[in-house]
Structure formats: C-alpha cells, structure tokens
Amino acid sequence: MTRPNTPDRINDDGTRTITTKRACNGCSQLLGDITDAEMALAVAGQSLPDVRRECPTCAPTAPEPECRPMRIVAGDATCLALKCDHELTTGEYCGEVAEQVICGTHSEITNGSEIVHAEPWPCKHSKAVTA
Ligand SMILES: [Zn+2]
Ligand SMILES: [Zn+2]
Ligand SMILES: [Zn+2]
C-alpha cells in the first residue's frame, strides 16, 4: 500500500491548505497523508495502527504489525444512514445491516473507507490480541 503525500497548497487568497500527515510511530518521520481510518481513530482518541513497516528507517527492524479487531457494518447506504423504513433491532441499525469484526491490520481498506478485502476476526495471521 502506498500512501499519498499531498503537498501543502497555497490558495488563490494566500491561505495555505495542509493535509494532515501520518508520522511513523517508531521515529516520528512523516510518511504521507493520514488516512480517513487513522483520522477517525485519532479523533476517537484511540491508538493508531503500527506503520513502522511503511517507514524507510524503521521497516528493516519493525515487527509484523499486531492484528487488531475492527468492527465494520455492511448494508444498504440508506440503512447505514438510518434513513430506511426497516424496523430497528436491538443494535444501532436495522436488521438489514450486518455487523462484522475483521482484522484491521490484514484487511485492505481504501482511503475512501471502501473495504477491498476483509480478513475475518480472529485473524489467522497469528498473535491476535484478544478483543
Ligand atoms: Zn520510522
Ligand atoms: Zn491480522
Ligand atoms: Zn434498513
């Protein structure tokens, strides 16, 4: 996975638009644009995924990133937006929405939060921390 690295832009009115960057959790070097998923974690005050494998300095010595469980919901956009007419079940969503736990480390998620590959939890990639 390559991380885009958007340079700061100077707007026509002279202001500067900065894209928040993700720093390596090993050496604090900036690696590129922060992803939507990382931003969401940061906003929620949760720890960010281990990105040392992306860092040219840390990659040779970095251990395999730890598996971490991630809860996802799959369903119709209307249902996810809670704008459907289905009856709400016990959870936050209606019965048409399936909740699933996947491994956030070994699943492929695009910057637009689209899940390309979902690795089921518990992850078979070993050393899973218990949820
Ligand atoms: Zn580093
Ligand atoms: Zn995993
Ligand atoms: Zn629904």
Side-chain angles (χ1 to χ4, degrees):
M1 178 176 98
T2 46
R3 189 180 282 273
N5 196 345
T6 313
D8 295 353
R9 290 182 304 277
I10 308 291
N11 302 309
D12 292 340
D13 62 359
T15 57
R16 186 183 281 261
T17 301
I18 297 167
T19 306
T20 307
K21 299 292 188 284
R22 177 67 211 268
C24 171
N25 53 302
C27 67
S28 301
Q29 184 183 327
L30 295 180
L31 300 175
D33 296 352
I34 195 164
T35 64
D36 289 347
E38 286 167 347
M39 192 57 124
L41 286 171
V43 169
Q46 295 185 42
S47 64
L48 297 181
D50 187 352
V51 288
R52 284 175 291 174
R53 280 288 173 96
E54 286 184 40
C55 172
T57 314
C58 302
T61 53
E64 172 89 3
E66 249 182 25
C67 293
R68 42 193 291 156
M70 196 172 106
R71 199 176 69 117
I72 57 161
V73 283
D76 204 84
T78 349
C79 293
L80 293 176
L82 303 179
K83 293 206 168 74
C84 65
D85 300 323
H86 302 129
E87 206 169 312
L88 288 185
T89 49
T90 44
E92 317 154 50
Y93 298 102
C94 72
E96 301 294 304
V97 174
E99 289 190 15
Q100 226 185 322
V101 180
I102 61 170
C103 175
T105 305
H106 293 106
S107 299
E108 260 183 81
I109 301 161
T110 67
N111 217 352
S113 300
E114 193 192 326
I115 296 162
V116 183
H117 166 75
E119 188 69 43
W121 187 267
C123 182
K124 62 179 185 313
H125 288 267
S126 82
K127 295 177 261 160
V129 285
T130 31

